[in-house]
Amino acid sequence: MIRNIHRALRPGGILVISSPRPLSEIRSQFHEKELQFHEFKELLESHFSCVKPFFESNFFTSYIGDSAPPEIKNLIPITDRFEIGSADYFVFIASDRSLDERGPIEPLMVINDDSYILNLEKDVSVLRQAENAHIAELASLRQILNEKEVALTGLAALQANNQRLNSDKELLERENANLRDIGIRLDAVYRSTSWRISRPIRGLGRVLRRFRQTPSSHPSLPVSAPAQQLKSHSTVKHDVCGAPNSLDVLFLIGCWEGESKRYRVHNLVEGFHVAGYTTSVMGYGEARKIVENGLRPAVVVFFRAPFDARIGVVDVLDYCQANGIKTIFDIDDYVFEPDIINQIAGVDLLSASDRKQYEWGVRAYRALMMSTDIVTVTTPFLAERARELGRNVKVIPNSVNAAQKERARHLRTITDLSDDSIRIGYFSGSRTHARDFEQCAEALRNVLLSHSNVSLRIVGFLDLDERWDALSDRIERLGFMPYLDMLDSIRECDINLAPLEEKNPFCEAKSELKFFEAALVEVPTVSSRTGPFVAAIVDGETGFLASSEQEWHDKLVRLVSDAALRERLGRRACDAALSKFDNELVAASAAIAYGLELPHVSAVTMRDDALKIAWIIPGLIIGGGGHRNILRAAYHLERFGHDVRLYFIDTPQSAGELRRAVRQHFYPFDGKVRRFEGSVEGEDVIMATHWSTVAPAEKAADGSSQVFYFVQDFEPAFYAMGSDYILAENTYRRELYAITSGPWCERLLKSEYAMDADHFQFPIDRSIYFERPEIARKKRVIFFAKPDMPRRCFEIGVQALRALHKFRPEFEILLFGSNQVKNYDLGFPATVSGILPGIDDLAKLYASAYLGIAFSTTNPSLVPYEMMACGLPIVDLGRPGNEVNYGDHHDIALLAHPEPARMAAEIDALLSNEAELDARRRRGLEFAKTFPTEQEMARRVEALILQRVRKIVEAAG
């Protein structure tokens, strides 16, 4: 090429040519080769007699020269960039004529023109990919190290238990014969067509039998076998007459059959114990003794109990109301609505008398539910149904207990040495699940027919018709088993099935427990698209969702054919399950739902390398996104084992009021909460969280603590150019280490203020923000409208929407996010929703629209990312550098021209192009999948803090 250029030049012609300095990875697929300086120079000298080298630096501006400029005006260089080795581009002038004849070639510096930044985007992208690769490699190494540590710990525990197991073996063998006889009898009971559906009736029958006895002869209900398998200290268990008045929570169990009481009572009791709360458990038939013995728990929970005046429930409710005891009705099934009884599988199999008693039970559940202060349920679907009845409802999901976590931890260390055979597991339960199994039956049968290495394990009862006869040699049947043994059985499977009848209200109310119990042992699940499963499973990331026969078939085949995919989904599912369904976390949420005060005993065990971390926070804004981000990081750092304290400045609230507000409206934080009085308590790290907290943090540090800066916005832009702007800006010149929310602030602080900074990415709660195919999208454009926040550019959005309405009058325009919008004359028809009741409502709004608009000029909020996670294409401002917030891409969000008329035209063009709209929707969904969970975000913050502390310690020697 150089030879041809030389030949094409006229005599004495000049060639000006440049090339980027080579990096470790080629920046562009179009770069055949990136030349080192000496290679480039030698190549040109082989064809031209005169070659003069220059270099270009884009570090703080665009400068081209052959040495450092003699004078730099209006700029303060923060590092030496004036040398070939650190150049961004090599620039050569070549000719066969002496270049000196034309006079000196002056260096060129371009200031106040940021267009050169665009040329660096690909360089940044390469470096970011390399950084992510290193982070992923480090995480993998950490995981391997943790697994080895767990394996060593597990080995010691196994050796310690070996003697006990050997001594138990003989006893178990003797009991085995008895258990087989019991199993035969149980099998006969379970094969009864009405066994499962009449469970509430049997519980009510037991209550009626107690009522017929004299009060003095009421027997104490025994603790069930699963409850006895829990740690003995998981509940403060007393004779009812001697139960302490200092109890935090008293549970009354109304249904002893089945496993529900483990999920809804015993697992919570164990979590409460870890958190330091006192609890007790009684049978519902003993409820009257609350009054008789003058018990004064803070909360009484009626689990799956009917309203029955004959056992004294009226007196109990009156007593609780008179003594300020909060009453809670807890239910885990849709068994409080008479109108859906005919839609419940198995009801039509009941006798007339059994059906009549079942209907009475449904009405009795409903009656008690209407009589308590609060209702707690397992799923958002159940919560909506209860709210329709005017109840105050909280969602407390089912959870896993310590015994399950410990057994699963051990099972995950066992290496699978099996051949290429694949076992699919279906853990059924009773025969009432036949209609559920039909959702996947034909697809599953075809998978078995086409894959001879696949077998099916059925645990519980399931009737299979003659279609399955040809596969009988590959179908394994197991009976009911203890719940811990069931984990062993799941672990022996490669794929778990969780089919449910979609759109059936009873099934839509079912919780996600079939997912998270399989996830504990890293077995991936394929489930139906009922609400709880859609919320729990990120399709293709932590499991698979399927609706049609074809979808069930295709996703089962993918898992059957790809061991790496099964392993990846299983591992991610395990992480997701432990981050949401751990009974300690669920109990912490339940404590908030119950309104319990913080116990004196901390739920957190300090680590050996724990840091003392203080957060200095300006006030407390309920619902504030910035405060939620701060408190999210603080809460999880505490859960990771650090000693975390919160200090609030500029607030009239007392420490107690602040503690209650943090726990009620944000997170169940256990550590110290204080008003900032000018000093801290010798913490290792002090986190300044707003420009107004930097000076107090530095003063409180007094040389003994390290001050870090938690930056969520470019805060000077909150103000007009003036004193506040400069004062806020000055905090970026304090030589502090910054941890920024998102990459935009990191890049700005580094380039403009020479700060040492790293960023974490925004977290997305995928249990809330996800695609909802059941919600039809309307011709609707939604705008995050915040006239009270200038950085949200409310006026620009309104002007653009006014013009858009003229283009698209058929589209509904909906504004949300602030109740102040109703005070404005918009100049076009619009739906003004203000602040929505809850985040579920927000997610449903995102799922119902064609396009979302959200602006933020000081750093993006979570809003556009949560919109994308719901499958909503978005519009943001097309300002220089804004693409960094979308992975340095312009094809995810529509970065529209900031002039309102042109913005409206660009939005109109996008709405006219269905293919482009769908492409941006899909790219947005993929981009949203790269965002971390809350726990992952906090782990990143923790890693940055620890890394910085180690660096400081090493520098100090």
Side-chain angles (χ1 to χ4, degrees):
M1 182 187 76
I2 298 298
R3 182 170 57 251
N4 289 335
I5 291 174
H6 181 264
R7 189 167 54 212
L9 281 173
R10 68 184 180 185
I14 294 176
L15 167 66
V16 179
I17 187 168
S18 69
S19 178
R21 177 169 57 88
L23 299 177
S24 59
E25 183 178 342
I26 296 296
R27 276 165 279 212
S28 169
Q29 60 180 323
F30 304 109
H31 289 196
E32 290 292 331
K33 180 175 177 59
E34 292 178 345
L35 299 175
Q36 297 287 350
F37 175 78
H38 67 87
E39 294 176 317
F40 201 0
K41 186 170 181 291
E42 290 170 2
L43 174 64
L44 291 171
E45 288 177 339
S46 68
H47 295 282
F48 293 92
S49 59
C50 297
V51 176
K52 189 171 182 60
F54 296 84
F55 62 86
E56 180 182 11
S57 170
N58 288 327
F59 192 67
F60 60 90
T61 182
S62 182
Y63 171 78
I64 301 178
D66 57 357
S67 62
E71 183 180 14
I72 305 176
K73 296 180 180 179
N74 303 322
L75 292 170
I76 302 175
I78 58 177
T79 187
D80 182 11
R81 295 283 292 182
F82 305 112
E83 57 182 26
I84 291 292
S86 58
D88 291 302
Y89 287 86
F90 304 135
V91 184
F92 284 89
I93 299 177
S95 178
D96 286 331
R97 237 173 103 183
S98 173
L99 296 173
D100 295 334
E101 297 177 11
R102 300 177 180 271
I105 301 174
E106 300 292 337
L108 175 66
M109 181 179 294
V110 180
I111 302 176
N112 297 328
D113 181 1
D114 293 338
S115 61
Y116 69 89
I117 289 293
L118 298 175
N119 295 324
L120 298 178
E121 289 181 346
K122 289 184 179 179
D123 290 3
V124 172
S125 177
V126 168
L127 292 171
R128 182 175 290 114
Q129 289 172 9
E131 178 191 27
N132 291 339
H134 286 307
I135 291 171
E137 182 180 5
L138 181 60
S140 177
L141 291 173
R142 277 203 191 101
Q143 182 177 352
I144 292 170
L145 179 60
N146 290 339
E147 288 173 352
K148 289 184 179 298
E149 290 175 350
V150 169
L152 289 173
T153 302
L155 179 60
L158 286 172
Q159 290 172 340
N161 286 333
N162 189 46
Q163 292 181 336
R164 179 182 59 81
L165 292 174
N166 284 333
S167 63
D168 288 346
K169 181 180 178 182
E170 185 177 345
L171 176 62
L172 289 173
E173 288 175 348
R174 287 199 304 269
E175 292 292 331
N176 190 44
N178 292 334
L179 287 174
R180 280 197 297 271
D181 292 338
I182 294 170
I184 294 170
R185 294 197 297 273
L186 279 176
D187 184 74
V189 173
Y190 292 148
R191 289 182 182 278
S192 167
T193 56
S194 63
W195 178 83
R196 175 71 174 176
I197 199 63
S198 63
R199 185 175 70 177
I201 302 171
R202 297 195 301 278
L204 293 171
R206 190 172 279 108
V207 170
L208 292 175
R209 286 196 296 275
R210 289 196 187 89
F211 173 73
R212 295 188 186 103
Q213 296 173 335
T214 61
S216 61
S217 62
H218 284 180
S220 296
L221 291 177
V223 177
S224 65
Q228 291 173 346
Q229 293 179 39
L230 298 175
K231 293 180 180 179
S232 61
H233 60 256
S234 67
T235 178
V236 180
K237 186 67 179 174
H238 301 269
D239 178 87
V240 175
C241 296
N245 285 340
S246 60
L247 276 176
D248 291 304
V249 187
L250 173 60
F251 288 92
L252 299 173
I253 297 181
C255 179
W256 288 89
E257 279 77 10
E259 293 294 298
S260 288
K261 63 184 177 297
R262 170 164 58 87
Y263 296 110
R264 304 309 297 163
V265 178
H266 295 300
N267 286 2
L268 274 182
V269 163
E270 182 181 80
F272 278 138
H273 172 84
V274 173
Y277 294 102
T278 56
T279 63
S280 189
V281 179
M282 293 166 47
Y284 181 50
E286 299 172 298
R288 193 190 302 272
K289 293 186 178 180
I290 296 174
V291 181
E292 293 172 350
N293 293 285
L295 303 182
R296 296 286 184 87
V299 175
V300 172
V301 180
F302 298 87
F303 164 62
R304 206 165 178 131
F307 190 104
D308 192 337
R310 294 170 295 184
I311 64 170
V313 69
V314 175
D315 293 339
V316 172
L317 291 170
D318 289 346
Y319 174 84
C320 290
Q321 184 177 19
N323 289 280
I325 300 170
K326 190 174 294 183
T327 55
I328 295 174
F329 178 81
D330 184 74
I331 196 73
D332 60 343
D333 267 325
Y334 197 11
V335 289
F336 52 83
E337 178 52 69
D339 290 345
I340 70 154
I341 289 176
N342 289 331
Q343 300 179 55
I344 301 174
V347 167
D348 54 340
L349 303 176
L350 295 175
S351 66
S353 61
D354 283 348
R355 181 184 175 107
K356 183 177 180 180
Q357 192 165 6
Y358 182 83
E359 291 174 351
W360 177 89
V362 170
R363 291 181 171 84
Y365 285 144
R366 185 188 185 108
L368 186 54
M369 184 177 78
M370 301 299 290
S371 304
T372 57
D373 299 316
I374 296 175
V375 175
T376 54
V377 296
T378 48
T379 66
F381 179 89
L382 279 175
E384 290 180 15
R385 303 292 78 77
R387 287 191 187 107
E388 289 169 357
L389 299 174
R391 308 309 296 137
N392 178 10
V393 189
K394 307 292 184 183
V395 176
I396 300 175
N398 285 329
S399 62
V400 296
N401 60 41
Q404 289 175 294
K405 288 181 284 186
E406 183 59 36
R407 177 73 70 91
R409 188 179 298 115
H410 166 67
L411 291 171
R412 293 196 299 269
T413 65
I414 299 174
T415 304
D416 183 11
L417 300 177
S418 62
D419 53 22
D420 63 349
S421 62
I422 304 297
R423 179 185 285 128
I424 298 176
Y426 178 58
F427 294 77
S428 168
S430 70
R431 285 194 174 85
T432 58
H433 289 291
R435 286 197 337 221
D436 295 330
F437 183 73
E438 278 303 309
Q439 309 304 306
C440 69
E442 192 59 25
L444 175 62
R445 193 176 71 87
N446 287 329
V447 169
L448 265 69
L449 287 171
S450 59
H451 295 77
S452 59
N453 63 325
V454 177
S455 62
L456 173 63
R457 170 177 288 182
I458 299 173
V459 177
F461 292 108
L462 181 69
D463 292 324
L464 298 177
D465 58 32
E466 63 278 359
R467 292 176 300 169
W468 296 88
D469 291 348
L471 297 166
S472 59
D473 61 328
R474 283 192 278 144
I475 297 176
E476 175 189 19
R477 289 185 175 274
L478 299 176
F480 288 98
M481 59 186 66
Y483 75 100
L484 291 178
D485 293 346
M486 189 177 72
L487 283 179
D488 296 56
S489 186
I490 297 173
R491 178 64 176 176
E492 292 169 354
C493 296
D494 299 281
I495 302 167
N496 177 53
L497 300 176
L500 284 171
E501 188 180 357
E502 294 180 24
K503 309 304 181 186
N504 180 300
F506 191 78
C507 293
E508 290 289 341
K510 289 290 185 182
S511 83
E512 55 284 279
L513 63 89
K514 286 184 182 294
F515 159 71
F516 66 68
E517 290 188 328
L520 274 184
V521 289
E522 297 184 346
V523 174
T525 294
V526 186
S527 79
S528 297
R529 277 195 175 84
T530 57
F533 282 128
V534 170
I537 297 173
V538 180
D539 193 25
E541 295 290 326
T542 59
F544 277 128
L545 300 168
S547 294
S548 66
E549 179 183 325
Q550 187 63 49
E551 197 172 14
W552 274 99
H553 179 272
D554 293 346
K555 290 183 175 179
L556 284 172
V557 168
R558 284 184 62 185
L559 287 172
V560 164
S561 307
D562 191 339
L565 177 63
R566 295 195 302 271
E567 181 181 356
R568 183 169 68 251
L569 264 60
R571 187 171 61 251
R572 290 176 179 173
C574 183
D575 292 341
L578 289 173
S579 69
K580 186 173 181 180
F581 302 108
D582 184 303
N583 66 335
E584 294 179 31
L585 297 176
V586 172
S589 299
I592 296 172
Y594 295 175
L596 297 176
E597 292 291 331
L598 183 69
H600 296 296
V601 180
S602 173
V604 179
T605 301
M606 293 296 109
R607 295 159 30 170
D608 292 337
D609 63 343
L611 293 174
K612 293 181 180 179
I613 305 172
W615 294 75
I616 301 185
I617 306 167
L620 184 61
I621 301 173
I622 305 304
H627 280 84
R628 178 165 292 279
N629 219 19
I630 293 166
L631 295 171
R632 174 190 293 125
Y635 167 71
H636 283 289
L637 285 170
E638 180 184 64
R639 303 306 298 179
F640 298 159
H642 298 285
D643 184 358
V644 183
R645 296 94 179 268
L646 308 180
Y647 296 88
F648 289 88
I649 67 173
D650 300 329
T651 176
Q653 294 174 285
S654 68
E657 290 170 334
L658 288 165
R659 176 186 295 281
R660 284 191 291 273
V662 168
R663 289 176 60 80
Q664 180 179 353
H665 298 287
F666 293 95
Y667 293 90
F669 183 77
D670 286 341
K672 294 179 180 178
V673 179
R674 300 279 190 270
R675 289 180 60 174
F676 183 70
E677 303 293 347
S679 63
V680 293
E681 299 178 11
E683 283 84 350
D684 304 303
V685 173
I686 300 176
M687 303 293 294
T689 61
H690 183 262
W691 75 266
S692 64
T693 68
V694 171
E698 290 184 319
K699 185 176 180 180
D702 195 26
S704 62
S705 304
Q706 295 297 324
V707 178
F708 296 169
Y709 201 167
F710 193 78
V711 179
Q712 301 190 72
D713 277 291
F714 181 65
E715 292 172 352
F718 290 2
Y719 313 99
M721 178 59 75
S723 295
D724 285 340
Y725 185 104
I726 300 299
L727 289 171
E729 189 181 39
N730 284 343
T731 62
Y732 303 144
R733 301 186 175 99
R734 300 294 300 163
E735 298 184 358
L736 299 177
Y737 172 61
I739 297 174
T740 73
S741 184
W744 187 84
C745 278
E746 177 194 358
R747 181 177 291 187
L748 180 67
L749 296 182
K750 284 181 173 179
S751 63
E752 298 296 326
Y753 301 95
M755 286 190 76
D756 195 356
D758 292 293
H759 78 273
F760 62 88
Q761 191 55 278
F762 299 90
I764 295 178
D765 186 348
R766 293 190 184 89
S767 68
I768 301 295
Y769 300 101
F770 55 87
E771 280 196 291
R772 299 172 187 254
E774 72 277 9
I775 298 178
R777 293 195 181 273
K778 305 176 182 177
K779 287 192 172 182
R780 170 188 284 171
V781 174
I782 62 175
F783 174 41
F784 186 46
K786 302 274 287 184
D788 45 320
M789 287 188 178
R791 63 184 181 273
R792 299 294 184 192
C793 301
F794 172 73
E795 291 79 7
I796 290 176
V798 167
Q799 292 177 42
L801 290 171
R802 190 179 298 138
L804 179 66
H805 173 67
K806 295 177 181 178
F807 294 135
R808 294 278 176 173
E810 74 276 16
F811 271 78
E812 175 193 11
I813 297 175
L814 185 147
L815 285 69
F816 72 99
S818 172
N819 292 329
Q820 295 187 22
V821 176
K822 61 180 180 293
N823 300 324
Y824 288 77
D825 181 10
L826 301 174
F828 58 89
T831 302
V832 177
S833 293
I835 298 175
L836 276 68
I839 54 179
D840 281 323
D841 304 285
L842 204 57
K844 289 176 182 177
L845 174 64
Y846 298 161
S848 73
Y850 257 49
L851 195 67
I853 302 174
F855 305 143
S856 182
T857 53
T858 60
N859 204 22
S861 68
L862 265 172
V863 171
Y865 304 128
E866 290 169 345
M867 286 179 171
M868 288 189 291
C870 294
L872 181 64
I874 67 164
V875 176
D876 201 345
L877 285 173
R879 299 181 66 252
N882 202 16
E883 67 279 354
V884 72
N885 297 314
Y886 300 98
D888 286 311
H889 291 283
H890 290 266
D891 60 354
I892 296 175
L894 171 62
L895 299 178
H897 197 284
E899 199 283 312
R902 290 184 61 178
M903 178 185 292
E906 290 178 10
I907 294 174
D908 175 54
L910 179 59
L911 292 173
S912 301
N913 189 338
E914 287 283 350
E916 178 63 15
L917 197 66
D918 185 61
R920 288 184 183 268
R921 180 191 68 80
R922 286 184 283 103
R923 286 192 287 265
L925 280 168
E926 290 303 311
F927 184 53
K929 288 180 180 179
T930 67
F931 282 62
T933 63
E934 286 196 356
Q935 192 175 43
E936 290 167 342
M937 165 256 177
R939 282 294 186 193
R940 167 72 171 165
V941 172
E942 180 193 38
L944 294 175
I945 293 173
L946 291 173
Q947 174 182 298
R948 186 67 178 188
V949 168
R950 292 189 189 106
K951 185 176 180 180
I952 292 168
V953 171
E954 290 168 3

